[in-house]
């Protein structure tokens, strides 16, 4: 069994993908081809925002978002303590200081109450200027933007949505990648919408930020690439990747997002009576980057993972360390303890999930877990 079956997806879409890639080859416009422009327009429309700027990966998308708002030295950037490293790595890379905030035990997303406490604490301490929030839509479910947007506005903070795992998700009628001032997503192959290599995109309704992102992504260009008005980076989505993504977006919109939700619902129906299954808030729709259960403790997780492995069922631990436990952040001052994040890092386990998973595959995983728990 595959954790995320990209081969099966390719077999399903092979004719269209091969044709799209061969077209790019024969046209020879490998950077910034018309497929990139068309994809950006389509993605912006899909999400419901004015601007989409594609780039080389999701990490750069966060980086470019921070650069567009001039986040840097002396700034505090509030980040959930339980996420992929890049969410806090990029704030640190621009010279800002990540302030780790504990997460909600059910959704694993940043806890709005703790967020506000952290902002007030940083203000009182007076060493850093509260400047931005990077809210992460972990495992495919949007963070609590009703609360977080209000907090950002109240404290005049820039709100960046790290939507690397949530493309396709929504809260009511609002789509992931449309929250806050600016949003970053990733097209890493195993993300909800993935390409065949690295890729990413920035989304915003802010004309000025969009213009700056386009500039920073191409060496701080002014009127053209050889007119350089600021220090930037080189971060673009290859035309081949854009061509692949446009085929994949068709499938994603037509049935993949629907199918993965069907698989997730089936898992939850079968598992909820004996293990802590993911909690999706009312009115939220997840894009299921991961299906993550919570075990009782680290040793139970180890045992469950071992049993699954003997049946050749892959499972993953996202994430084995909370951010403040990472060596790279050992010198970053921790304003508040993050017991929930610490606990999650010991108890979470992500199970195989993808849009092409069959009911039989789900049954196999469920029965192994059930046998283990009933033993
Ligand atoms: C994957 C991921 C990123 C980084 O995306 P890349 O395309 O791998 O650079 C950032 N944040 C989160 C939460 C992610 O899951």
């Amino acid at each position: 069994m595959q954790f995320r079956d990209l081969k099966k997806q390719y077999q399903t879409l092979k004719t269209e993908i091969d044709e799209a890639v061969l077209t790019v080859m024969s046209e020879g416009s490998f950077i910034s081809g018309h497929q990139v422009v068309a994809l950006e327009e389509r993605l912006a429309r899909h999400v419901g925002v004015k601007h989409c700027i594609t780039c080389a990966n999701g990490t750069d998308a966060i980086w470019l978002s921070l650069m567009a708002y001039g986040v840097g030295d002396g700034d505090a950037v509030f980040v959930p303590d339980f996420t992929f490293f890049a969410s806090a790595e990029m704030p640190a890379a621009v010279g800002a200081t990540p302030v780790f905030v504990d997460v909600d035990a059910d959704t694993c997303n940043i806890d709005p109450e703790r967020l506000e406490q952290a902002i007030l604490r940083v203000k009182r301490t007076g060493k850093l200027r509260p400047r931005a929030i990077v809210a992460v839509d972990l495992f495919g479910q949007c963070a609590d933007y009703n609360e977080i947007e209000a907090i950002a506005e109240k404290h005049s903070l820039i709100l960046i949505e790290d939507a690397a795992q949530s493309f396709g998700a929504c809260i009511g009628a609002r789509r992931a990648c449309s929250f806050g001032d600016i949003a970053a997503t990733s097209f890493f192959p195993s993300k909800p919408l993935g390409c065949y290599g690295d890729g990413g995109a920035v989304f915003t309704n802010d004309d000025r930020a969009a213009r700056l992102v386009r500039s920073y992504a191409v060496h701080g260009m002014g009127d053209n690439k050889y007119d350089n008005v600021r220090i930037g980076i080189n971060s673009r989505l290859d035309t081949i990747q854009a061509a692949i993504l446009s085929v994949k977006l068709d499938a994603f919109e037509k049935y993949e997002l629907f199918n993965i939700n069907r698989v997730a619902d089936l898992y939850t129906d079968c598992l909820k009576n004996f293990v802590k299954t993911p909690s999706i808030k009312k009115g939220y729709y997840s894009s299921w980057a991961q299906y993550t259960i919570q075990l009782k403790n680290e040793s139970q997780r180890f045992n469950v993972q071992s049993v699954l492995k003997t049946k050749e069922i892959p499972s993953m631990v996202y994430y084995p360390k909370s951010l403040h436990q990472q060596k790279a952040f050992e010198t970053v001052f921790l304003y508040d303890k993050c017991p929930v994040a610490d606990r999650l890092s010991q108890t979470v386990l992500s199970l195989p999930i993808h849009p092409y998973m069959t009911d039989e595959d789900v049954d196999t995983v469920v029965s192994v877990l059930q046998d283990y728990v009933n033993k």
Side-chain angles (χ1 to χ4, degrees):
M1 194 182 299
Q2 299 281 311
F3 190 69
R4 204 160 190 102
D5 201 338
L6 298 174
K7 286 182 201 155
K8 207 159 168 186
Q9 185 193 42
Y10 176 60
Q11 287 314 321
T12 310
L13 305 174
K14 188 176 185 319
T15 317
E16 294 98 314
I17 288 179
D18 289 358
E19 192 189 316
V21 170
L22 288 172
T23 302
V24 177
M25 307 284 230
S26 61
E27 291 177 354
S29 190
F30 297 108
I31 303 286
S32 309
H34 63 86
Q35 293 87 341
V36 176
V37 180
L39 180 73
E40 289 182 344
E41 282 169 7
R42 197 170 157 203
L43 288 171
R45 226 179 310 123
H46 176 101
V47 166
V49 298
K50 243 167 120 178
H51 306 281
C52 167
I53 303 107
T54 52
C55 61
N57 55 68
T59 304
D60 282 4
I62 301 172
W63 197 10
L64 291 162
S65 300
L66 292 159
M67 285 195 270
Y69 287 95
V71 177
D73 251 2
D75 290 342
V77 178
F78 301 87
V79 188
D81 193 40
F82 192 65
T83 172
F84 180 58
F85 187 61
S87 312
E89 180 188 22
M90 290 304 101
V94 297
T97 303
V99 174
F100 303 116
V101 179
D102 209 2
V103 296
D104 180 275
D106 291 327
T107 64
C108 305
N109 280 329
I110 196 164
D111 180 335
E113 216 169 289
R114 305 291 297 268
L115 170 63
E116 183 145 38
Q117 287 164 8
I119 296 165
L120 296 173
R121 199 164 289 130
V122 170
K123 278 189 177 164
R124 268 201 310 275
T125 311
K127 289 206 178 79
L128 297 167
R129 174 168 67 138
R131 190 70 205 293
I133 301 163
V134 176
V136 181
D137 305 338
L138 205 71
F139 303 145
Q141 176 172 216
C142 290
D144 186 349
Y145 290 105
N146 294 331
E147 301 274 347
I148 299 167
E149 286 184 331
I151 293 169
E153 185 158 348
K154 181 170 161 197
H155 296 279
S156 303
L157 300 177
I158 295 146
L159 176 55
I160 298 170
E161 178 189 4
D162 180 344
Q165 301 186 8
S166 63
F167 188 87
C170 48
I171 306 177
R174 290 184 69 189
R175 292 253 167 106
C177 300
S178 74
F179 296 98
D181 296 287
I182 195 162
T185 197
S186 165
F187 303 124
F188 185 83
S190 59
K191 303 282 168 147
L193 178 66
C195 58
Y196 286 166
D198 279 309
V202 174
F203 295 84
T204 185
N205 283 314
D206 179 342
D207 297 340
R208 184 172 172 276
R211 207 170 55 243
L212 287 170
V213 167
R214 285 212 185 274
S215 168
Y216 279 119
V218 186
H219 306 286
M221 74 171 185
D223 290 339
N224 63 70
K225 192 179 165 185
Y226 303 102
D227 172 38
N228 308 96
V229 296
R230 52 183 68 85
I231 301 300
I233 58 176
N234 173 25
S235 184
R236 288 175 299 228
L237 183 74
D238 293 338
T239 308
I240 285 181
Q241 301 301 349
I244 291 163
L245 280 168
S246 95
V247 175
K248 289 231 210 168
L249 185 54
D250 288 336
F252 186 83
E253 287 177 330
K254 276 193 202 124
Y255 57 86
E256 283 190 350
L257 184 60
F258 176 82
N259 282 358
I260 203 165
N261 269 278
R262 202 190 53 81
V263 173
D265 289 346
L266 184 59
Y267 257 139
T268 299
D269 278 348
C270 301
L271 292 174
K272 66 180 182 225
N273 291 328
F274 57 92
V275 58
K276 185 164 166 49
T277 51
S279 329
I280 303 301
K281 286 168 74 106
K282 201 162 171 286
Y284 286 54
Y285 187 73
S286 176
S287 58
W288 299 103
Q290 304 297 341
Y291 187 90
T292 305
I293 59 171
Q294 295 178 32
L295 283 317
K296 286 200 178 72
N297 51 45
E298 204 167 7
S299 80
Q300 191 190 43
R301 178 176 71 186
F302 177 84
N303 293 336
V304 168
Q305 204 171 16
S306 309
V307 173
L308 288 168
K309 200 169 168 190
T310 61
K311 310 279 182 186
E312 292 177 356
I313 298 169
S315 63
M316 304 290 282
V317 173
Y318 299 120
Y319 295 90
K321 281 181 186 178
S322 54
L323 287 187
H324 78 269
Q325 292 175 336
Q326 295 285 4
K327 180 162 173 40
F329 291 133
E330 71 184 353
T331 59
V332 174
F333 181 70
L334 192 62
Y335 279 84
D336 199 3
K337 290 201 169 69
C338 299
V340 177
D342 289 341
R343 190 176 157 67
L344 287 172
S345 69
Q346 296 170 348
T347 56
V348 288
L349 187 66
S350 300
L351 303 177
I353 191 166
H354 55 83
Y356 301 85
M357 195 162 173
T358 61
D359 291 6
E360 292 71 47
D361 284 343
V362 175
D363 280 348
T364 306
V365 179
V366 167
S367 62
V368 174
L369 284 167
Q370 198 160 19
D371 285 352
Y372 172 81
V373 172
N374 288 338
K375 232 180 359 203

